[in-house]
Amino acid sequence: MARTLSFLLAAFFALPLAAQEGARDITGSLSYLARIALPPDAEISVTARGAFDTVLGETQFTTEGKQVPLPFSLTVPGGLSGQVDAFIRIGGTPRWIIRDVPFSAGETPVDLGELQLAPITPLTFAAEYDCHGLPVAFGILNDRAMLRVDGRDFEMQEEVSASGARYVSVDDPGTEFWSKGDEAMLTVEGQDMGRCVKVAPAEPPVYRAQGNEPGWHALIGADIVELTADYGARTHTEPRPDAQVSPGTYAFDMPQVDARLTLQETLCHDGATGMPYPHSATLLLGDRSLKGCGGDPTDLLTGAAWRIADVGGQGVIDNVETTIAFDADGRVSGRAGCNGFSGRFELTGEGLRFGRMVATMMACAEEKMTQERRVLDALGAVRRFDIDASGALLLIGGAEDAPILIARRS
């Protein structure tokens, strides 16, 4: 029976995606701002990746003399979220790029619209910074100091400063970068972008799935899988197998230990703490089926900004930007009605907490200032979060342990 099942699974995963039930198309077009014509043999590569850096779908083609915008289409399994990367290569060298364009899980086709690619010009000795979600790099290009802000380059020259290293744009005195240790202050074309933090090299992520009664967990690294079951009485370490992908599901077969880990992209709540997780997990271990949750709860919060729709049951002011956005490194930022705010958040095993928020000091109409105070007070009272059936973010807390702030994806 096991051999028959394995044969059927292998046959299914060998099918082209278009032949698998539940596949869907991702379409869009690629463009760039520079007025540079592409040669006839320019190469286009578009890839959709899901969890575990799994390739969900890809397409490659030459332009054959066509110019931007260049339409593309690729097929991916339904029920899975992911990100799209795209490159334009000339003579085999990447010249334009866009990365991590998100798409949500679902069954219907996705139209990403026109994607603007940025030129690839590698900086040497580059230090990368995060300025409230804005990617910034400072390095050397052709023996010149260069500031790169969200794909735009500014040639910089050093100016005298009492401390740190201060650089001002050669062409625009309103663009300034002042670094002090691992932090910097950035002004672009006269606009204060606030405090920037140097980005540390990313550690290879380790995926965790876990369950209770009996306690078990699985750790999926770049090269190995560690299985622990029966509250630690049983452990196995195996080379990581390739992820098998089907609509809405990733699976890892480990026949050496008679185990199979299946992860479905459906919201899961931990049975002990109620914490929401992005995946439902099933570990088949011998003749036992162990249930649990998988992934990082932070992934449910990060990504596109959330548009706040309600605070304390009193709604929000129409046509006033009221948002909140979460970064993977624990930072939160947004607009509360008048001023921008930023701070830290922390996810523990049982809940969500916000630290003290710092806001800009602009004065606005009284109703906007009142809403701003309500938003910041609500964040201070949050104790946990959830995602409802419609996909809305519920920030929960207060004496009644009820939603005190409701937000939806922008």
Side-chain angles (χ1 to χ4, degrees), residues 307-308 316-322 337-338 367-368 371:
R307 176 178 50 81
I308 298 174
V316 293
I317 303 171
D318 292 338
N319 302 319
V320 172
E321 185 179 3
T322 312
C338 176
E367 62 175 351
K368 292 183 180 181
Q371 173 177 290

Side-chain angles (χ1 to χ4, degrees), residues 128 198-206 328:
E128 296 185 354
K198 184 178 287 188
V199 178
E203 294 290 334
V206 176

Side-chain angles (χ1 to χ4, degrees), residues 253-302:
D253 277 325
M254 292 159 279
Q256 302 90 332
V257 293
D258 196 16
R260 176 181 174 85
L261 178 63
T262 302
L263 304 166
Q264 292 184 300
E265 193 162 326
T266 56
L267 192 68
C268 178
H269 291 87
D270 184 86
T273 67
M275 174 70 77
Y277 288 81
H279 295 153
S280 296
T282 301
L283 176 62
L284 299 179
L285 194 58
D287 58 357
R288 295 188 296 168
S289 178
L290 308 177
K291 301 293 185 180
C293 299
D296 187 346
T298 306
D299 293 342
L300 296 171
L301 298 171
T302 56

Side-chain angles (χ1 to χ4, degrees), residues 39 77 84 103 121 189 302 312 319 332 339 405:
V84 168
F103 61 90
T121 311
E189 297 175 335
T302 56
N319 302 319
V332 62
N339 289 283
L405 190 150

